[in-house]
Amino acid sequence: MFSIEYLLSVSLREPEVLARLRIESLQQSMAVMLLAPEQGQFMALLVQLPGALNQYLHADHRVQMSLLPVVDGLTPARNI
């Protein structure tokens, strides 16, 4: 069984400069709104997923629908 410490040690990709910045920011009085590095990495993945899905849909000739960027997000559109 894996421990949380092991999981974080092998999966978290926090650059050195961001780790130092996070530690420095924790000393500030307004440090109540900081994200955990794990949460930031997960949110970055969530932001990248729609673009990856859209690339996959564009590459698959069997799919006639894809996602188009619009002002409020992504919307399905028919490929012509």
Side-chain angles (χ1 to χ4, degrees):
M1 180 92 59
F2 292 110
S3 69
I4 287 291
E5 292 82 19
Y6 172 75
L7 183 64
L8 292 176
S9 71
V10 297
S11 67
L12 185 60
R13 295 180 303 250
E14 183 180 30
E16 171 76 28
V17 68
L18 291 181
R20 288 195 323 249
L21 182 61
R22 179 174 46 82
I23 292 168
E24 183 71 27
S25 297
L26 285 172
Q27 298 172 4
Q28 302 295 319
S29 62
M30 299 293 287
V32 294
M33 302 208 39
L34 293 175
L35 291 178
E38 304 85 20
Q39 185 179 4
Q41 186 173 324
F42 180 66
M43 291 176 71
L45 173 68
L46 292 179
V47 167
Q48 294 171 354
L49 283 177
L53 175 63
N54 196 29
Q55 267 189 324
Y56 173 75
L57 292 176
H58 275 293
D60 192 346
H61 66 278
R62 299 169 299 169
V63 177
Q64 296 203 2
M65 296 292 286
S66 65
L67 301 172
L68 291 177
V70 292
V71 174
D72 60 345
L74 296 170
T75 187
R78 185 169 191 82
N79 289 341
I80 299 175

